[in-house]
Amino acid sequence: MYVYDQVDRNLVNERVAQYRDQVRRFLAGDLSEDEFRPLRLQNGLYMQRYAHMLRVAIPYGLLSATQLRMLASIARRYDRGYGHFTTRQNIQYNWPRLEDSPDILADLASVEMHAIQTSGNCVRNITSDEFAGVAPDEVLDPRPLAEILRQWSTFHPEFAFLPRKFKIAVNGAEEDRAATAFHDIGLYLRRGPDGEVGMRVLVGGGMGRTPVIGPVIRDFLPWQHMNTYVEAILRVYNRYGRRDNLYKARIKILVKALGAEEFACQVEEEWVLTRDGPDTLTDQELARVSAYFAPPDYAARPADDAEFNRHASENAGFARWVGRAINAHRIPGYRAVVLSLKKTGVPPGDATAEQMDLVADWSERFGFGEVRVSHEQNLILPDVRANDLFTLWEEARHAGLATPNLGLLTDIIACPGGDFCSLANAKSIPIAEAIQRRFDDLDFLHDIGELNINISGCMNSCGHHHAGHIGILGVDKDGEEWYQVSVGGADGSQAGRGRSAIGKVIGPSFKADDMPDVISRLVDIYLEQREADERFIDTVARLGVAPFKSGVYGSPLRASTENREGAENREGAAADV
Ligand code: HEM
Ligand code: SF4
């Protein structure tokens, strides 16, 4: 993985010292709340419902064992013993004290981490495929290009005050595991007609109150032009983005207003000024950065491991976990393992300090000391030897990290919602838990098959509800919490057959107590209607939402569903975060 040089180290250390002084001055009363606010936000420190929240960047979701141990240590020392992994491959701490925040940032800096640009109207953490470098379907490892973009965008003076925050995702595999179509810029690496490497460029996707699937503005951009082209996009956005209206400030609104074609023309016009200039990437630069991501020292191993096969045939629990949690690896005898952070009763994405320490240990014992974070809010060990899988499973089971539910209904994505977030209209975590409890029968879960449920506590869509096969959105009605349900969303991954789609709302919203029943009904309709091996999302695609709507609303649910008008259109407050 990328290792800081002296310049990087100075940069983060100087930032820590500067921030330490800012906190000191604020606590001494020399800086007002208004003066201090932008300073803390520039270092990832938000003010939330009950406490501060610190967001730490995990570039393209890649962590070393050392870094993960430090995240554990911070959770233990300065927080309540856990951290929350997010859909943007970051980690958030929900209870840090302002007084401790400079020390936390200093601890992070000691392991080459920081919270710079995790807030504010700048280029945020760049996300990517959690299986980068090991996936058999990879066209090109996205990490070197993501790292180049990270270096380019960090502290970029021209793009520090964009009209709104800016999210870039890079995907290097056949399957889109980075939800590129839902980002401000999605870069989808692929080969051109002569085998040359480049990328499809999507711009103006996003979720929020106006969900948009990003249109392709260039089908093939040779990789050498990545920086100058992204710069041209950002320049057009910086110049014409709607700074007058917070709700219309994202690039998706500009692209929609101009039309993708006109937007693309403006980008090309801007690009003429820098194209082939000094910022054009060279083979040498790509080689320099790629060297950090060179494959580890894989041992020659048999593709098929006898011991592994024996365990899988003798132990149904192990076989079930293998079926869900193990991904193919490009090197024979190795597997990529997904550790589920979706055990019933634990908020999706939460990991305790003990769990983080264990995962760090396993990454070293069974692999090469690397861990990944997925946008589904799970952790990944990318390089596990096949003959270690059984031992790993036994240990992971005891640690509560081997729930065999990956890709299934209880592998729920959820934002922190009303339990923590001050923007929330409704809680997310208890809804996730109630649904998980209703579907705690593993056989039934496996019979239902792949089904993503995504939950957001407000329109800001941090829980990706628009892209959920079933999406749940918290809405407010006269101070009460209601939930609007959509079906048919998909994030571009194979779980939705490679489609990106925005879920359709099926009707008026429900009370929290209704939600497990609503999900049960949707599942029943699917089970009645499905053909052969059809997944939930395919049944929705074939039949549309009508049967789901009538099945859910056809007869009264257990709890009350009256008086819902108005609740559906209430939008979550968007803040400057
Ligand atoms: C608790 C503190 C949080 C606050 C205050 C917050 C705030 C926001 C706001 C205001 C937006 C809407 C921005 C816009 O559309 O212009 C947003 C979007 C988003 N946030 Fe959060 N968020 C928080 C936590 C999270 C968490 C925990 C996650 C991941 C689980 C997350 C991931 C996202 C994503 C993926 C989007 C959608 C981006 C898009 O529309 O393209 N956020 N957030
Ligand atoms: S979706 Fe809304 S409630 Fe959930 S974390 Fe984002 S801003 Fe908060």
Side-chain angles (χ1 to χ4, degrees):
M1 67 189 285
Y2 182 70
V3 179
Y4 279 12
D5 62 16
Q6 199 51 45
V7 176
D8 299 296
R9 268 194 292 276
N10 290 349
L11 218 66
V12 291
N13 287 336
E14 279 169 19
R15 178 50 89 87
V16 172
Q18 187 187 45
Y19 176 69
R20 192 181 289 285
D21 192 51
Q22 290 161 349
V23 171
R24 185 192 60 73
R25 285 188 286 149
F26 173 65
L27 292 173
D30 298 342
L31 288 177
S32 68
E33 177 63 50
D34 281 354
E35 286 167 326
F36 180 59
R37 197 166 160 276
L39 304 176
R40 68 167 160 74
L41 284 172
Q42 276 167 27
N43 292 287
L45 195 73
Y46 288 71
M47 190 59 213
Q48 284 304 318
R49 196 161 277 236
Y50 307 107
H52 286 93
M53 184 276 281
L54 180 72
R55 181 179 295 150
V56 176
I58 303 175
Y60 33 90
L62 174 60
L63 283 168
S64 68
T66 311
Q67 290 175 327
L68 186 55
R69 280 198 191 96
M70 182 55 84
L71 295 179
S73 148
I74 290 169
R76 199 176 279 124
R77 230 174 126 194
Y78 304 106
D79 207 279
R80 297 193 178 172
Y82 71 94
H84 177 74
F85 290 99
T86 81
T87 49
R88 306 218 63 259
Q89 299 179 315
N90 293 317
I91 184 169
Q92 295 187 174
Y93 292 105
N94 288 316
W95 303 98
R97 288 172 358 126
L98 168 66
E99 294 81 342
D100 292 332
S101 56
D103 289 340
I104 300 177
L105 294 184
D107 282 359
L108 288 170
S110 73
V111 295
E112 307 184 349
M113 295 186 81
H114 58 74
I116 294 161
Q117 291 185 198
T118 60
S119 173
N121 296 335
C122 50
V123 177
R124 303 282 189 92
N125 190 39
I126 289 161
T127 54
S128 189
D129 175 10
E130 63 273 20
F131 297 116
V134 305
D137 69 335
E138 194 162 87
V139 177
L140 190 81
D141 188 342
R143 293 170 302 171
L145 288 171
E147 174 57 29
I148 288 172
L149 274 178
R150 185 188 77 87
Q151 294 188 12
W152 171 82
S153 60
T154 301
F155 290 129
H156 197 303
E158 188 178 339
F159 305 127
F161 296 99
L162 293 166
R164 200 70 177 87
K165 60 177 170 178
F166 206 86
K167 302 177 179 178
I168 303 179
V170 189
N171 183 67
E174 292 284 337
E175 179 184 5
D176 183 358
R177 286 181 286 265
T180 49
F182 284 107
H183 283 76
D184 295 301
I185 297 182
L187 301 175
Y188 190 105
L189 306 185
R190 54 207 296 261
R191 284 191 190 277
D194 302 321
E196 69 280 26
V197 172
M199 54 197 76
R200 179 180 286 157
V201 183
L202 293 81
V203 178
M207 301 207 196
R209 59 162 58 194
T210 318
V212 182
I213 296 199
V216 177
I217 68 156
R218 197 176 226 279
D219 203 46
F220 190 79
L221 176 78
W223 65 269
Q224 293 87 344
H225 299 299
M226 178 180 72
N227 281 12
T228 52
Y229 201 77
V230 166
E231 181 178 63
I233 296 169
L234 277 162
R235 283 201 169 150
V236 173
Y237 172 52
N238 211 10
R239 201 176 303 138
Y240 300 115
R242 292 280 304 268
R243 289 174 194 273
D244 61 318
N245 185 336
L246 185 64
Y247 301 108
K248 298 194 170 165
R250 296 287 293 270
I251 195 172
K252 63 190 170 188
I253 305 295
L254 178 66
V255 175
K256 265 195 144 180
L258 290 175
E261 230 168 274
E262 171 59 21
F263 179 81
C265 283
Q266 296 203 13
V267 170
E268 298 280 329
E269 242 171 68
E270 180 65 40
W271 188 39
V272 168
L273 306 175
T274 51
R275 183 180 180 161
D276 298 321
D279 284 344
T280 307
L281 294 171
T282 58
D283 290 343
Q284 207 185 357
E285 174 62 356
L286 184 62
R288 182 185 74 81
V289 180
S290 299
Y292 290 107
F293 301 94
D297 234 348
Y298 292 114
R301 314 193 69 83
D304 213 16
D305 187 89
E307 205 183 327
F308 166 78
N309 289 339
R310 183 174 60 77
H311 284 303
S313 61
E314 286 172 4
N315 190 320
F318 178 58
R320 176 142 39 201
W321 180 71
V322 167
R324 298 299 336 163
I326 306 304
N327 277 48
H329 198 289
R330 62 166 66 161
I331 306 294
Y334 287 84
R335 305 284 190 281
V337 176
V338 187
L339 298 165
S340 167
L341 296 182
K342 309 297 176 62
K343 191 176 156 71
T344 298
V346 178
D350 274 13
T352 64
E354 290 68 37
Q355 288 176 324
M356 289 187 232
D357 277 340
L358 279 170
V359 176
D361 290 350
W362 296 331
S363 78
E364 287 172 339
R365 257 170 73 205
F366 304 127
F368 302 92
E370 262 187 29
V371 180
R372 316 284 178 85
V373 183
S374 69
H375 81 267
E376 291 93 352
Q377 302 181 285
N378 291 311
L379 295 178
I380 283 92
L381 295 175
D383 302 297
V384 181
R385 294 176 291 265
N387 63 343
D388 287 331
L389 286 168
F390 189 72
T391 315
L392 171 63
W393 173 66
E394 288 191 310
E395 296 192 22
R397 219 156 37 113
H398 285 118
L401 294 169
T403 312
N405 63 348
L406 296 150
L408 303 180
L409 187 152
T410 56
D411 184 11
I412 296 173
I413 293 178
C415 77
D419 286 289
F420 297 100
C421 181
S422 50
L423 305 180
N425 282 329
K427 291 198 169 71
S428 308
I429 294 168
I431 302 300
E433 183 176 342
I435 295 169
Q436 285 173 327
R437 290 206 185 285
R438 171 69 62 93
F439 290 89
D440 68 350
D441 176 346
L442 273 175
D443 288 326
F444 187 40
L445 263 192
H446 281 251
D447 179 36
I448 297 166
E450 284 190 12
L451 207 177
N452 300 343
I453 298 187
N454 296 0
I455 311 177
S456 302
C458 79
M459 265 299 182
N460 287 323
S461 320
C462 302
H464 282 198
H465 67 277
H466 294 295
H469 300 171
I470 297 177
I472 300 175
L473 165 67
V475 288
D476 166 272
K477 182 181 173 285
D478 301 329
E480 275 194 69
E481 303 190 350
W482 293 76
Y483 296 88
Q484 191 179 65
V485 174
S486 52
V487 298
D491 66 1
S493 65
Q494 267 165 21
R497 296 248 192 264
R499 287 185 300 252
S500 297
I502 293 162
K504 285 202 177 67
V505 176
I506 58 168
S509 51
F510 304 93
K511 286 265 208 190
D513 288 350
D514 290 334
M515 289 314 296
D517 286 345
V518 170
I519 302 299
S520 290
R521 286 195 177 185
L522 290 172
V523 167
D524 287 346
I525 297 153
Y526 157 64
L527 294 177
E528 279 160 24
Q529 301 287 343
R530 76 172 163 193
E531 288 176 353
D533 291 337
E534 209 174 39
R535 303 182 224 192
F536 177 87
I537 188 75
D538 297 326
T539 307
V540 176
R542 182 167 56 83
L543 299 175
V545 300
F548 292 91
K549 189 181 170 104
S550 58
V552 171
Y553 294 98
S555 56
L557 288 156
R558 196 166 34 81
S560 147
T561 52
E562 297 120 40
N563 279 337
R564 302 186 206 93
E565 334 58 84
E568 293 68 51
N569 297 323
R570 201 59 78 79
E571 280 157 339
D576 52 344
V577 278

